[in-house]
């Protein structure tokens, strides 16, 4: 039977329950929530005066009630050492989600660590060190000292290149400005580590270099633009499942026509209608089905391209728009450069594109018209262009990204209401680091170094490559072999003899072994190879700041204690830096030791003030006190002043050279912030100083980037890019396609956040997905004699993995869709090691064969294999 | 912040319209819940009433009947699926009953007869009536609340419990 909690009532928060601001720490949307907590021996009542919501809960509540909490929104947790009840519920006053929760975010309470209700008991509570053939608890001082000692020894023998680092760069859980600053300061300022990679790709690079190099930061619009657009153009994204409440709360109203009043009042001098939507995707998704249910089939155009041919389609649309005379000539003249050259280089006829993409010429022409044909009376059509992993992790990432930005620039759709050319995002963002310029471009492929026996020590911060990397089969084999060498060496001497331990470790490293340090909140698969594991706190167990997909920055307040001895990553960094300082000093190297000064942070707020506040653009206006006062609505970065001062700097300053500090309410690439920060340590912002503490004035932000028509290039002009088609660009992909039957497209499921690092310990999700699923066309399943739920092997020359088969009529013949990054069947096992020239992986274009492993395992027999697709009532 | 409430608004209207219908239907089926048993000290679980929902002979295969349980404000459907399912009652083991209020935000759901699912017009969640209300796809953080049933010798179908918290209630049985 389906999993049921058999909970038939929940306690009600009393009137005086403590209320904290919470931003969902899962996806990019960053929905607002409130945490209500109160002592465990008390409860409120259903009368309005007796509960924290001030609502009458005595009868059945209506739809969309602000007072209902599902069992997943409730838990008993520890706060300041006391057990407290907690309810974490969507915030109806947050402009992002207006009270909507998703299947992921609305489980935040249940996904918290509780010794009372037993949830998330897998969380790490103590530092662990490899001792006596197992991971055993250790003190912070002892475990961190061992890490520092081995790190120093490796650096002394191999230089800083011997230290390999994997570190998340995002916001939300396992991220945030506090923590990215800390790791950034350690590896980019105290050291100059260049062998570093990010959580989901093998190098330290941007997923959207293409857009940035054109002068267009990738998060340039606001969520309201989806309510104002005439047309939404979506490529390689399944937003109902991956940006859920952005889709539901901002796209759907426009598709239904219920934002017409807003359009009329904000943009009065042009005709308006309900939005139309174009979705570029090789598969039919639940997003497309929902769009059809809301807007009617006639207003939804699904361009079902052959996998990996997006660039051809975009070039043809670019060409067609120019040919029809629909380009925004005034905007092109004042705000861009290189238009004519790009038109020449990218010229692609509609017929040629139809042949390569598999989309009909008629549909391509229709798409061009929906994007750019002037509205009645000649008004410019407002089109928002958005993309995500289908482009980012698709064929020829850099050029394809650029070819889409070309369309947005040609139609004048950046910096204007109802426009934008944006990535939709995965995690929230929360990047504040010193310059990474020394890493270089292309950056090192760290996976290849690890596989190739390079380096002696690996610091891992909140990453699990065993689940979320390409070429994962080979990676795991190499990693296990190298780390095992060190484990055996450690087993050969008594654990208590630290000097002998370190000597044994170094000897193993010299022989090709690898010492692995894993910092995470839960045990991970790569962590099973680690020699030291350090337990971290997550969002809500620490104060944590991030920004969402419209650069909306908020503070999640600490509403509970971290499990056991876990602590925020930034404070772990501080301990490690101090231990490194001691280690180098003891070893007689005072010069190096001195570089590890400046980590005397007592709290995460100290790290925030040292990092974001001092170093980020507009950071001088941002403090915890002000963010707290601004609740779940926060402000949109960059900050430009305070309500008491008004915008401080006028006009726009563009980043003239990499590494320079940019001031003013202008413009920048939002995530990487590459061009906007000085490389020299301590080079802080130079804007008008604002009161740094205490005050809770409202912060003024920036609704849209580039609203003044100036872009992030030395001359302020966005540059069109030449993006000619070159087939399946990554090495070996065409051969893989030719030799394997099935496209193994891949991505997320609505139920599951990221690599299921918490979900795998949640009964509700584990019941639904004991194994990852692979959606298959029912006729293909018939040919392979597969029944729904059968366990299959997916295999090719790169490796093999497993999944259960789910018939889905929306998938074409020989096309499949597999859940990405799942613990019990890693899709990355069958992804080849080929990347683009900037080391961006190409997960999406993977081809493999499929064979049956077994009938449906017992764990999936109670599950449903009906289509995921919604149809409106007839 | 204005402008983000369209779904909310339309949902409320929708709820009132469909909710009223469902309640009327339930009244027509003349299901009168009994008063909940009173017990002191409080039981660890709420005490559920036993309600007669209908009789086996009222049911037609794959045609849901509007019901309510544990009281008139908690609407649901009673269905004879036509194939034996786990948790089904009656001579053919195929009779089930579910809340029809979506456990996401409480919109009333409709029954899609061709694949025996309850579907939510609010945000497209789908629940499989043949699999104990398992959420096929959707936003709810729980599978659909199922009413525990018993069929007596005369074919009367009684509801006597619920296996998940019902949408819109802090307690399945309200005081
Ligand atoms: S849509 Fe994203 S941010 Fe919002 S609740 Fe869901 S997972 Fe969290
Ligand atoms: S109310 Fe949102 S899916 Fe049903």
């Amino acid at each position: 039977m389906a999993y049921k909690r058999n909970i038939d009532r929940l306690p009600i928060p009393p009137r005086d329950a403590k209320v904290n601001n919470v931003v969902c720490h899962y996806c990019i949307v960053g929905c607002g929530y409130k945490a209500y907590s109160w002592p465990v021996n008390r409860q409120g009542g259903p009368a309005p005066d007796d509960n924290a919501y001030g609502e009458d809960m005595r009868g059945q509540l209506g739809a969309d009630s602000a007072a209902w909490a599902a069992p997943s929104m409730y838990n008993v947790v520890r706060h300041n050492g006391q057990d407290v009840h907690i309810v974490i519920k969507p915030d109806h006053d947050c402009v992002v989600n207006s009270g909507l929760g998703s299947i992921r975010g609305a489980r935040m309470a249940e996904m918290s660590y509780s010794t009372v209700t037993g949830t998330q008991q897998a969380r790490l509570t103590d530092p662990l060190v490899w001792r006596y053939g197992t991971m055993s608890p250790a003190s912070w001082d002892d475990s961190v000292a061992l890490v520092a000692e081995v790190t120093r020894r490796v650096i002394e023998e191999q230089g800083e290149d011997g230290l390999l680092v994997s570190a998340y760069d995002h916001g939300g859980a396992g991220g945030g400005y506090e923590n990215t600053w800390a790791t950034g300061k350690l590896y980019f300022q105290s050291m100059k580590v260049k062998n570093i990679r990010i959580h989901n790709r093998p190098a330290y690079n941007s997923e959207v270099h293409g857009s940035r190099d054109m002068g267009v930061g990738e998060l340039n619009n606001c969520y309201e633009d989806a309510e104002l657009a005439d047309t939404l153009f979506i490529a390689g994204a399944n937003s109902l499942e991956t940006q859920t409440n952005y889709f539901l709360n901002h796209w759907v109203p426009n598709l239904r026509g219920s934002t017409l009043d807003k359009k009329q009042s904000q943009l009065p001098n042009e005709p308006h209608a309900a939005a139309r939507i174009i979705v570029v995707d090789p598969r039919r998704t639940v997003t497309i089905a929902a769009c059809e249910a809301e807007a009617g089939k006639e207003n939804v155009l699904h361009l079902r391209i052959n996998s990996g041919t997006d660039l051809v389609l975009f070039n043809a649309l670019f060409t067609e728009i120019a040919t029809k005379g629909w380009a925004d000539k005034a905007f092109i003249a004042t705000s861009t450069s290189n238009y004519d050259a790009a038109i020449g280089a990218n010229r692609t006829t509609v017929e040629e594109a139809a042949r390569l993409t598999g989309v009909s010429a008629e549909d391509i022409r229709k798409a061009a018209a929906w994007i750019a044909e002037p509205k009645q009376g000649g008004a410019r059509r407002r089109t928002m262009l958005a993309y995500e992993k289908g482009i980012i992790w698709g064929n020829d990432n850099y050029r394809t990204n650029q070819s889409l930005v070309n369309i947005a620039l040609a139609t004048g759709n950046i910096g204007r209401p109802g426009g934008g050319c944006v990535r939709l995002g995965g995690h929230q963002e929360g990047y504040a680091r010193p310059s990474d310029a020394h890493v270089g471009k292309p950056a090192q492929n760290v996976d290849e170094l690890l596989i190739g026996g390079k380096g002696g020590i690996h610091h891992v911060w909140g990453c699990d490559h065993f689940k979320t990397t390409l070429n994962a089969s080979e990676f795991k084999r190499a990693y296990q072999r190298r780390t095992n060498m060190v484990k055996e060496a450690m087993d050969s001497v008594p654990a208590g003899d630290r000097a002998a331990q370190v000597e044994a470790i170094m000897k193993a490293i010299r022989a090709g072994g690898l010492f692995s340090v894993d910092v995470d909140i839960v045990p991970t698969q790569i962590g099973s190879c680690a020699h030291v594991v350090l337990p971290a706190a997550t969002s809500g167990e620490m104060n944590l700041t991030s920004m969402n997909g419209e650069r909306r920055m908020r503070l999640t307040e600490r509403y509970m204690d971290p499990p056991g001895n876990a602590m925020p990553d930034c404070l772990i960094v501080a301990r490690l830096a101090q231990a490194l300082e001691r280690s180098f000093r003891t070893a007689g190297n005072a010069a190096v030791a001195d570089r590890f000064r400046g980590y005397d942070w007592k709290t995460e707020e100290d790290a925030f003030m040292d990092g974001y506040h001092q170093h980020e653009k507009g950071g001088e206006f941002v403090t915890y006190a002000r963010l707290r006062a601004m609740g779940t609505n926060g402000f949109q970065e960059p900050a430009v002043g305070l309500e008491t001062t008004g915008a401080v700097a006028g006009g726009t300053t563009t980043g003239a050279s990499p590494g320079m500090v940019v001031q003013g309410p202008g413009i920048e690439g939002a995530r990487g912030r590459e061009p906007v920060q000085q490389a020299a340590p301590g080079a802080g912002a130079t804007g008008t100083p604002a009161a740094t503490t205490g005050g809770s004035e409202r912060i003024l932000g920036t609704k849209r980037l580039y609203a003044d028509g100036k872009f992030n290039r030395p001359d302020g002009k966005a540059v069109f890019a030449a993006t000619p088609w070159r087939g399946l660009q990554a090495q070996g992909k065409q051969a893989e396609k030719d030799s394997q039957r099935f496209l193994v497209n891949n991505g997320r499921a609505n139920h599951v956040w990221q690599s299921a690092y918490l979900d795998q310990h949640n009964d509700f999700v584990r019941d639904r997905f004991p194994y990852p699923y692979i959606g298959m066309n029912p006729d293909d399943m018939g040919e392979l004699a597969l029944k729904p739920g059968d366990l299959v092997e997916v295999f090719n020359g790169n490796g093999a993995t497993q999944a259960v088969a789910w018939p889905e009529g929306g998938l074409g013949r020989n096309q499949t869709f597999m859940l990405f990054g799942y613990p019990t069947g890693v899709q990355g096992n069958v992804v080849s090691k080929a990347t683009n020239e900037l080391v961006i992986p190409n997960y999406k274009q993977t081809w493999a064969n499929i064979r049956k492993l077994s009938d449906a395992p017992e764990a999936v027999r109670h599950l449903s294999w009906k289509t995921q697709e919604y149809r409106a009532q007839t | 912040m204005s402008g983000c409430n369209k779904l909310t608004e339309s949902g409320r209207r929708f709820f009132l319209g469909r909710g009223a219908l469902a309640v009327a239907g339930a009244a027509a089926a003349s299901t009168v819940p009994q008063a909940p048993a009173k017990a002191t000290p409080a039981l660890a679980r709420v005490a559920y009433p036993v309600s007669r929902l209908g009789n086996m002979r009222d049911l037609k295969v794959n045609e849901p009947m509007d019901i309510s349980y544990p009281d008139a404000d908690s609407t649901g459907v009673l269905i004879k699926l036509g194939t034996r399912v786990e948790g089904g009652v009656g001579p053919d083991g195929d009779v089930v009953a579910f809340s029809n209020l979506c456990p996401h935000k409480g919109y009333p759901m409709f029954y899609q007869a061709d694949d025996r699912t309850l579907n939510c017009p609010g945000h497209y969640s789908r629940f499989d009536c043949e699999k104990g209300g398992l959420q096929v796809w959707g936003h709810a953080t729980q599978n659909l609340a199922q009413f525990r049933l018993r069929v007596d010798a005369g074919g009367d179908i009684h509801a006597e419990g619920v296996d998940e918290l019902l949408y819109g209630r802090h307690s399945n049985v309200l005081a």
Side-chain angles (χ1 to χ4, degrees):
Chain A
M1 286 283 278
Y3 166 76
K4 299 290 173 69
R5 292 184 185 81
N6 281 290
I7 285 175
D8 48 20
R9 65 178 163 188
L10 289 177
I12 298 172
R15 241 189 118 105
D16 59 351
K18 188 172 167 47
V19 186
N20 286 117
N21 298 319
V22 176
V23 177
C24 176
H25 48 250
Y26 302 129
C27 90
I28 179 78
V29 182
C31 295
Y33 281 72
K34 293 275 187 203
Y36 301 82
S37 56
W38 67 98
V40 79
N41 60 349
R42 295 188 49 218
Q43 62 179 327
D49 284 349
D50 295 337
N51 65 67
Y53 317 135
E55 301 256 357
D56 190 347
M57 302 167 68
R58 286 171 292 198
Q60 171 74 35
L61 301 168
D64 292 314
S65 166
W68 190 60
S72 64
M73 301 178 198
Y74 169 77
N75 212 335
V76 177
V77 299
R78 196 152 270 237
H79 193 201
N80 296 330
Q82 304 291 318
D83 284 337
V84 293
H85 296 280
I86 193 160
V87 168
I88 307 179
K89 215 165 60 55
D91 183 0
H92 283 245
D93 296 325
C94 175
V95 295
V96 174
N97 54 314
S98 305
L100 287 170
S102 76
I103 190 170
R104 302 173 301 281
R107 285 186 287 115
M108 261 186 289
E110 186 177 77
M111 304 275 267
S112 298
Y113 177 77
S114 173
T115 51
V116 175
T117 62
T119 52
Q120 293 297 331
Q121 285 300 292
R123 284 288 302 273
L124 296 166
T125 56
D126 292 283
L128 303 170
V129 173
W130 182 260
R131 215 162 56 210
Y132 321 126
T134 182
M135 293 306 283
S136 308
S139 71
W140 274 107
D141 282 346
D142 189 53
S143 52
V144 171
L146 176 60
V147 174
E149 200 71 1
V150 178
T151 303
R152 173 181 63 82
R153 293 286 299 269
V154 168
I155 290 173
E156 283 170 354
E157 290 188 17
Q158 304 188 12
E160 284 179 355
D161 287 354
L163 167 58
L164 307 179
V165 178
S166 297
Y168 58 78
D169 72 341
H170 52 74
Y177 288 115
E178 294 76 6
N179 296 327
T180 61
W181 171 254
T183 44
K185 184 171 183 175
L186 180 65
Y187 297 117
F188 294 166
Q189 183 171 309
S190 298
M191 295 183 263
K192 285 273 180 270
V193 168
K194 92 173 185 296
N195 293 333
I196 178 169
R197 60 160 272 175
I198 297 172
H199 54 281
N200 60 9
R201 51 195 190 272
Y204 203 84
N205 48 14
S206 165
E207 293 166 308
V208 289
H209 270 319
S211 182
R212 289 187 192 165
D213 287 353
M214 295 167 75
V216 179
E218 68 274 18
L219 298 176
N220 47 57
N221 75 355
C222 60
Y223 282 180
E224 195 179 66
D225 284 324
E227 299 177 35
L228 299 173
D230 295 302
T231 302
L232 299 162
F233 182 90
I234 311 305
N238 174 24
S239 298
L240 175 56
E241 296 190 273
T242 54
Q243 294 86 24
T244 306
N245 290 332
Y246 179 26
F247 178 86
L248 291 175
N249 203 34
H250 301 275
W251 301 20
V252 168
N254 195 0
L255 294 170
R256 282 184 182 168
S258 45
T259 62
L260 280 173
D261 285 353
K262 175 181 277 190
K263 289 181 174 185
Q264 214 56 262
S265 77
Q266 290 195 19
L267 310 162
N269 301 317
E270 57 190 85
H272 293 291
R276 295 190 291 201
I277 185 165
I278 303 164
V279 184
V280 183
D281 201 311
R283 70 173 172 137
R284 183 176 163 84
T285 58
V286 291
T287 300
I288 294 166
C291 289
E292 287 179 355
E294 298 295 352
K297 278 198 161 76
E298 66 283 7
N299 293 313
V300 180
L301 181 58
H302 177 195
L303 301 181
R304 194 166 192 163
I305 54 164
N306 295 330
S307 176
T309 61
D310 310 66
L311 182 148
V312 181
L313 174 70
F314 301 159
N315 279 351
L317 290 170
F318 183 50
T319 306
E320 175 76 359
I321 287 164
T323 310
K324 290 277 189 193
W326 294 336
D328 188 335
K329 297 192 187 69
F331 177 84
I332 291 170
T334 56
S335 292
T336 73
S337 63
N338 205 38
Y339 175 68
D340 293 333
I343 281 287
N346 303 344
R347 184 162 290 125
T348 306
T349 66
V350 167
E351 281 66 29
E352 203 180 338
R355 189 171 51 78
L356 286 164
T357 61
V359 175
S360 74
E362 187 192 344
D363 277 355
I364 298 175
R365 291 208 167 84
K366 191 170 172 186
W370 284 18
I371 293 169
E373 187 176 22
K375 299 197 273 187
Q376 239 176 7
R380 199 179 55 79
R381 194 168 292 277
R382 298 175 186 275
T383 298
M384 172 179 129
L385 300 102
Y387 58 95
E388 191 41 44
K389 292 291 191 296
I391 302 299
I392 286 170
W393 284 349
N395 177 38
D396 215 351
N397 156 298
Y398 188 83
R399 287 192 191 189
T400 305
N401 184 197
Q402 294 200 321
S403 64
L404 184 59
V405 179
N406 280 340
I407 300 175
L409 289 172
T411 54
N413 270 309
I414 303 181
R416 290 173 168 173
C421 185
V422 292
R423 76 172 294 182
L424 287 160
H427 293 81
Q428 281 195 77
E429 307 294 2
Y431 187 100
R433 278 181 180 157
S435 170
D436 62 355
H438 64 278
V439 172
K441 199 170 156 183
Q444 302 301 311
N445 185 326
V446 173
D447 281 14
E448 295 287 294
L449 297 175
L450 285 165
I451 290 169
K454 301 288 185 331
I457 184 166
H458 186 202
H459 292 182
V460 184
W461 295 85
C463 304
D464 193 353
H465 311 336
F466 280 25
K467 290 187 291 179
T468 59
T469 200
L470 66 175
N471 192 25
S473 298
E474 187 183 9
F475 182 86
K476 280 178 261 201
R477 277 195 304 276
Y479 202 84
Q480 276 160 346
R481 183 172 35 79
R482 294 189 65 193
T483 51
N484 260 334
M485 291 169 69
V486 174
K487 284 184 175 174
E488 281 167 23
M490 292 175 79
D491 287 343
S492 68
V493 279
D497 187 345
R498 175 55 52 84
Q501 277 281 324
V502 172
E503 284 314 321
I505 290 167
M506 291 311 298
K507 195 166 159 217
I509 288 172
R510 277 176 223 119
L514 183 74
F515 189 80
S516 172
V517 183
D518 183 44
V519 188
D520 212 310
I521 64 171
V522 283
T524 58
Q525 295 191 354
I526 197 171
S528 68
C529 293
H531 308 95
V532 176
V533 169
L534 302 175
T538 191
S539 181
E541 298 163 358
M542 62 176 286
N543 296 289
L544 187 139
T545 53
S546 304
M547 74 172 193
N548 79 348
E550 54 174 349
R551 295 163 284 102
R552 190 176 293 280
M553 181 175 184
R554 276 81 48 90
L555 169 70
T556 292
E557 297 177 276
R558 173 176 165 148
Y559 51 76
M560 63 180 284
D561 301 343
N565 295 307
M567 65 172 78
D569 298 62
C570 53
L571 301 185
I572 299 174
V573 169
R575 279 180 173 258
L576 178 55
Q578 286 156 356
L580 281 162
E581 183 190 350
R582 273 193 301 275
S583 183
F584 277 105
R585 208 169 296 287
T586 309
N589 195 340
V592 174
D594 286 345
R595 289 201 237 131
F596 295 96
R597 290 184 150 176
Y599 294 87
D600 44 359
W601 309 321
K602 296 281 175 296
T603 65
E604 56 271 28
E605 187 170 7
D606 295 340
F608 179 83
M609 296 305 280
D610 184 32
Y612 188 95
H613 179 80
Q614 277 207 56
H615 291 85
E616 286 303 324
K617 181 174 168 185
E620 67 266 32
F621 305 114
V622 186
T623 62
Y624 272 17
R626 294 189 186 121
L627 286 171
R628 216 172 267 131
M630 294 189 79
T632 56
N633 287 329
F635 76 99
Q636 287 175 272
E637 295 184 59
V640 297
L642 300 174
E643 63 176 349
T644 46
T645 63
V648 165
T652 291
T653 314
T654 54
S657 61
M660 85 171 276
V661 174
V662 181
Q663 292 297 333
I667 288 178
E668 67 183 61
R671 183 187 204 168
R673 298 168 189 277
E674 303 140 302
V676 296
Q677 191 161 249
Q678 283 187 350
T686 55
T688 311
T692 53
T693 47
S696 57
E697 306 89 341
R698 294 186 66 77
I699 301 163
L700 303 179
T702 308
K703 189 167 180 176
R704 294 181 184 90
L705 302 185
Y706 317 123
D708 59 357
K710 293 209 169 54
F711 289 86
N712 197 20
R713 299 272 307 171
D715 60 358
K717 294 187 175 201
V719 55
F720 281 93
T723 58
W725 168 245
R726 49 178 169 170
L728 290 178
Q729 169 268 335
Q731 204 187 354
K733 289 285 184 185
Q734 185 62 46
E736 186 177 295
K737 179 182 181 185
D738 295 341
S739 63
Q740 309 289 324
R741 172 170 174 185
F742 291 101
L743 170 71
V744 187
N745 194 354
N746 53 87
R748 289 196 174 145
N750 201 40
H751 268 71
V752 182
W753 169 241
Q754 218 236 9
S755 63
Y757 57 90
L758 289 178
D759 284 325
Q760 65 184 324
H761 305 295
N762 179 261
D763 293 338
F764 173 66
V765 175
R766 200 174 38 198
D767 174 72
R768 186 71 180 96
F769 294 115
Y771 301 97
Y773 73 90
I774 184 162
M776 295 180 70
N777 181 285
D779 294 334
D780 288 334
M781 284 182 62
E783 266 181 26
L784 297 186
L786 293 173
K787 298 179 298 304
D790 282 357
L791 195 59
V792 299
E793 184 173 54
V794 182
F795 63 102
N796 60 16
N798 309 312
T801 188
Q802 63 177 0
V804 288
W806 190 338
E808 195 57 83
L811 288 160
R813 288 303 300 267
N814 300 325
Q815 297 199 354
T816 68
F817 179 84
M818 182 171 168
L819 180 55
F820 181 80
Y822 211 65
T824 47
V826 174
Q827 193 272 343
N829 286 0
V830 293
V831 178
S832 83
K833 67 179 179 190
T835 66
N836 82 341
E837 60 273 47
L838 294 170
V839 205
I840 296 292
N842 183 188
Y843 294 103
K844 300 287 183 180
Q845 278 72 45
T846 293
W847 285 268
N849 274 310
I850 293 176
R851 62 188 160 212
K852 179 166 167 171
L853 286 173
S854 76
D855 285 343
E858 186 57 31
V860 307
R861 287 187 182 249
H862 65 293
L863 298 178
S864 178
W865 309 105
K866 292 174 182 172
T867 177
Q868 306 185 31
E869 214 178 274
Y870 172 84
R871 287 168 292 153
Q873 193 171 19
T874 42
Chain B
M1 86 155 282
S2 58
C4 296
N5 293 320
K6 268 75 57 188
L7 277 177
T8 315
E9 290 305 319
S10 55
R12 226 169 255 135
R13 280 198 302 278
F14 196 86
F15 177 73
L16 290 174
R18 304 253 317 171
L21 273 181
V23 172
S30 69
T31 53
V32 183
Q34 298 171 1
K38 296 271 190 294
T40 41
L43 298 170
R45 293 181 58 82
V46 302
Y48 283 98
V50 176
S51 297
R52 178 184 172 277
L53 302 179
N55 189 280
M56 285 300 299
R57 62 175 177 274
D58 304 333
L59 294 177
K60 295 205 186 64
V61 170
N62 209 19
E63 286 183 21
M65 175 195 269
D66 289 338
I67 54 155
S68 64
Y69 181 80
D71 56 56
D73 291 336
S74 167
T75 57
V77 286
L78 177 66
I79 316 165
K80 181 172 169 59
L81 292 165
T83 34
R84 182 173 295 274
V85 295
E86 212 187 325
V89 298
D92 304 322
D94 64 345
V95 175
V96 292
F98 294 96
S99 166
N100 76 332
L101 294 185
C102 179
H104 178 223
K105 300 296 282 181
Y107 291 38
M109 298 191 282
F110 62 88
Y111 185 69
Q112 198 75 264
D114 61 4
D115 73 356
R116 293 173 169 76
T117 52
L118 281 162
N119 292 262
C120 183
H123 319 95
Y124 334 113
S125 295
R126 286 165 46 71
F127 300 89
D128 192 341
C129 297
E130 296 182 300
K131 297 288 186 180
L134 187 95
Q135 186 167 223
V136 181
W137 186 92
H139 309 287
T141 52
Q142 60 199 62
N143 295 311
L144 188 58
Q146 183 164 9
F147 300 149
R148 293 185 215 283
L149 303 179
R150 175 174 57 82
V151 179
D152 67 20
D156 277 353
I157 305 160
H158 304 276
E160 40 188 33
V162 184
D163 63 6
E164 265 290 3
L165 190 67
L166 294 163
Y167 173 81
R169 293 168 177 236
H170 66 279
S171 168
N172 277 348
V173 176
L174 297 167

